[in-house]
Amino acid sequence: MADYKSIIAYDGTDFQGFQRQKAGVRTVQSVLEDGLRAVGWEERSLQAAGRTDAGVHAKGQVIAYELPWKHSAVKLTQALNANLPADVSVVSSESVEADFHPRFSAKSRRYRYTLIVAPVRDPLRARYSWRIWPRPNIEAMQTAAGLLIGEHDFAAFGTAPIPGGQTLRTVTRADWKRTKDELCFEIEANAFLYHMVRRLVGALIEVGTGRKAIEEVSVFLDRPSVRWEGSLAPAQGLCLEAVDYSGSNKDLEDRSPGL
Amino acid sequence: MADYKSIIAYDGTDFQGFQRQKAGVRTVQSVLEDGLRAVGWEERSLQAAGRTDAGVHAKGQVIAYELPWKHSAVKLTQALNANLPADVSVVSSESVEADFHPRFSAKSRRYRYTLIVAPVRDPLRARYSWRIWPRPNIEAMQTAAGLLIGEHDFAAFGTAPIPGGQTLRTVTRADWKRTKDELCFEIEANAFLYHMVRRLVGALIEVGTGRKAIEEVSVFLDRPSVRWEGSLAPAQGLCLEAVDYSGSNKDLEDRSPGL
């Protein structure tokens, strides 16, 4: 029996989110647990770094589990992939210490939100992005994003995972990047509140379209008693890119094998 | 009544190819014709630049039709998009001379085939690519691609659209480009035979994996009586990028509105 960690990728479109629900509801966790059972897993529940919402994608979700596996970690990845549907896959696996926990051991998480700035729909990118038009003011959005950096109480922009739980989070990166008509928001923090990235993207777009002033974002930071009025950015633009365990997890930085 | 040309994009996954078939079969043409009818179109059949196979995508398919439309071409694009499903869209529209024909007026077509070179599946890219592993020899594939340039009889690699039709085609570009673990084949020709791009990609991959020698590609070029033995590259990696009408169609080169 050993403890393993696997990096998981999925297309969230056809899942009712990550977390297992009642029988018959298709979630990433239930599909992964079925795959694990097929290779001899006998625990009741796997551990995961984060619970993504329905429709949210992942390139770097992390799970941990105990398994009586006698072969290499590479063979474990292959065996699991043979027992998973096309919209979820194991990127890599490795054995870890018994005290490793994908959520509690994580030092930071990185999410990416993808927008397409275009007057018409693009069927080839709609599955993984949110289209907006007309063009927003990206400089204003970047200035507002800069206000998020540091330790703040993000209660106005999300909900603690535990009722009444801590809503202080430390954002270490919040950047807009554009390439042609694509506009990506990359945000990294020690941890996130529920809906925090989608609500922040919604807020920054309101700043970019002039419906809200830049200053309003800072007014709502560190005011736990009020809620930012505004809609969530749609789920399909969001992707959990990576979870960092500082040193124990170097492969998350560049998992591309290159050529 | 005026004649219009529209550039069309679609995700080919859920279509049984472009060309209309019997009632009940979902094709791009039938969905476009339903959309056109909703804005007043009364012809029997629209004209298109090319008939893509089931599962093949397009960013730059071109159609032409006659329509009693009283508003601007921009409004026509909007009205059509409001009457099309999420997996097909009109990128732009313009009025054209009555003698314009999307197939016969075309000077060249450009296709792109996307490969992912990786040991494990990627659910976020599987819809638009073909994954291969181990790494192929890209230099050999580029050398073999160079042999395709110029006018050749491609009968060994495809079928004429009309039985007994001409199989000479002039390839003006055939390049492999790689970015991280992505490998793209871009090919441009005056016109293509049925299955020609997918069969050529299949052949070049056989060269890259050492199953065939580079010289074998040139042996099969200009030998109309034999067939290249080998499988087609899967449909989902292929995309019709653009159709060029030399001068009448500048927007095809860069349709991205930028920011």
Side-chain angles (χ1 to χ4, degrees):
Chain A
M1 202 66 98
D3 289 276
Y4 289 93
K5 172 185 119 183
S6 291
I7 297 173
I8 307 294
Y10 46 87
D11 177 326
T13 311
D14 298 327
F15 289 105
Q16 296 299 316
F18 184 86
Q19 195 178 14
R20 182 163 20 85
Q21 300 177 32
K22 59 176 188 282
V25 178
R26 190 171 190 263
T27 69
V28 181
Q29 184 177 0
S30 63
V31 158
L32 285 170
E33 290 178 347
D34 288 345
L36 281 164
R37 267 180 217 109
V39 301
W41 181 72
E42 292 181 334
E43 289 176 296
R44 284 193 136 198
S45 185
L46 60 78
Q47 299 169 343
R51 299 170 186 171
T52 52
D53 292 335
V56 172
H57 313 291
K59 287 181 183 172
Q61 174 69 281
V62 176
I63 61 169
Y65 48 93
E66 209 180 87
L67 194 73
W69 185 256
K70 294 182 164 43
H71 314 285
S72 68
V74 168
K75 286 224 189 301
L76 173 57
T77 294
Q78 291 168 350
L80 281 169
N81 278 327
N83 286 287
L84 290 171
D87 51 358
V88 51
S89 75
V90 177
V91 178
S92 64
S93 307
E94 58 177 299
S95 63
V96 286
E97 299 295 316
D99 65 353
F100 173 83
H101 190 292
R103 180 144 52 105
F104 305 126
S105 306
K107 296 289 181 289
S108 69
R109 282 92 172 155
R110 192 170 81 242
Y111 280 90
R112 171 187 290 231
Y113 196 96
T114 304
L115 291 141
I116 306 291
V117 183
V120 292
R121 294 187 281 116
D122 181 348
L124 292 166
R125 292 185 291 174
R127 204 174 171 91
Y128 307 114
S129 62
W130 178 29
R131 182 178 69 85
I132 59 166
W133 190 255
R135 292 181 183 91
N137 179 341
I138 299 172
E139 279 179 37
M141 285 157 62
Q142 185 58 51
T143 304
L147 300 172
L148 309 176
I149 301 290
E151 188 185 62
H152 297 285
D153 188 329
F154 286 93
F157 297 98
T159 319
I162 308 156
Q166 173 74 268
T167 49
L168 281 176
R169 296 292 184 272
T170 303
V171 172
T172 44
R173 181 173 164 190
D175 280 317
W176 288 99
K177 281 186 184 170
R178 69 187 200 198
T179 316
K180 290 186 180 174
D181 62 351
E182 210 168 284
L183 187 57
C184 287
F185 183 59
E186 291 221 331
I187 184 164
E188 188 173 61
N190 61 338
F192 289 88
L193 302 174
Y194 279 162
H195 290 325
M196 179 171 151
V197 184
R198 291 169 60 193
R199 206 174 287 280
L200 285 173
V201 169
L204 295 176
I205 293 298
E206 288 186 284
V207 168
T209 53
R211 287 193 298 269
K212 290 273 167 67
I214 295 174
E215 298 70 35
E216 292 184 71
V217 173
S218 47
V219 165
F220 279 81
L221 277 174
D222 303 311
R223 281 182 64 196
S225 59
V226 291
R227 263 231 169 264
W228 175 270
E229 300 284 332
S231 52
L232 294 176
Q236 84 277 1
L238 187 59
C239 184
L240 171 52
E241 291 281 316
V243 183
D244 184 35
Y245 299 89
S246 294
S248 63
N249 208 21
K250 289 248 186 286
D251 57 338
L252 278 170
E253 284 311 296
D254 180 17
R255 295 194 318 276
S256 145
L259 289 178
Chain B
M1 201 66 95
D3 289 277
Y4 289 93
K5 172 186 121 183
S6 292
I7 297 173
I8 307 294
Y10 46 86
D11 177 325
T13 311
D14 298 328
F15 289 106
Q16 295 299 315
F18 185 87
Q19 195 179 13
R20 182 164 20 85
Q21 300 177 31
K22 59 177 189 282
V25 178
R26 189 171 190 263
T27 69
V28 181
Q29 184 177 0
S30 63
V31 158
L32 286 170
E33 289 178 347
D34 288 346
L36 281 164
R37 267 180 217 109
V39 301
W41 181 71
E42 292 182 334
E43 289 176 296
R44 285 193 135 197
S45 185
L46 61 77
Q47 298 168 345
R51 299 169 187 171
T52 52
D53 293 334
V56 172
H57 314 291
K59 287 182 182 172
Q61 174 69 282
V62 177
I63 60 168
Y65 47 92
E66 208 180 88
L67 195 73
W69 184 257
K70 293 183 163 43
H71 314 285
S72 68
V74 168
K75 286 221 189 300
L76 174 58
T77 294
Q78 290 169 349
L80 281 170
N81 278 328
N83 286 287
L84 290 172
D87 52 358
V88 52
S89 76
V90 177
V91 177
S92 63
S93 307
E94 59 176 299
S95 63
V96 286
E97 299 296 317
D99 64 353
F100 174 82
H101 191 290
R103 180 145 51 105
F104 305 126
S105 306
K107 297 288 181 289
S108 68
R109 282 94 173 155
R110 193 171 79 242
Y111 279 90
R112 172 189 290 232
Y113 196 97
T114 304
L115 291 142
I116 306 293
V117 183
V120 292
R121 294 187 281 116
D122 180 348
L124 292 166
R125 293 186 290 174
R127 204 174 170 93
Y128 307 115
S129 62
W130 178 30
R131 182 178 69 85
I132 60 167
W133 191 256
R135 292 181 183 91
N137 178 342
I138 299 172
E139 278 178 38
M141 285 158 62
Q142 185 59 52
T143 304
L147 300 172
L148 309 176
I149 301 291
E151 188 185 63
H152 295 286
D153 189 328
F154 285 93
F157 296 98
T159 318
I162 309 157
Q166 175 70 271
T167 49
L168 280 177
R169 295 293 185 271
T170 303
V171 171
T172 44
R173 182 174 164 191
D175 279 317
W176 289 98
K177 282 185 185 171
R178 68 187 200 197
T179 316
K180 289 187 182 173
D181 63 349
E182 210 168 284
L183 187 57
C184 287
F185 182 59
E186 293 222 330
I187 184 164
E188 188 174 60
N190 61 338
F192 289 89
L193 303 174
Y194 279 162
H195 290 327
M196 180 171 149
V197 184
R198 290 169 61 195
R199 206 173 287 279
L200 285 173
V201 169
L204 295 176
I205 292 299
E206 288 186 286
V207 168
T209 52
R211 286 194 298 270
K212 290 273 168 68
I214 295 173
E215 299 69 36
E216 292 184 73
V217 174
S218 47
V219 165
F220 280 83
L221 277 173
D222 303 311
R223 280 183 63 195
S225 57
V226 291
R227 264 229 168 268
W228 175 271
E229 301 283 332
S231 52
L232 294 175
Q236 83 276 0
L238 187 59
C239 184
L240 171 54
E241 290 283 315
V243 183
D244 184 36
Y245 299 90
S246 294
S248 64
N249 208 20
K250 290 247 186 285
D251 56 340
L252 280 169
E253 285 311 298
D254 181 17
R255 295 195 317 277
S256 145
L259 288 177

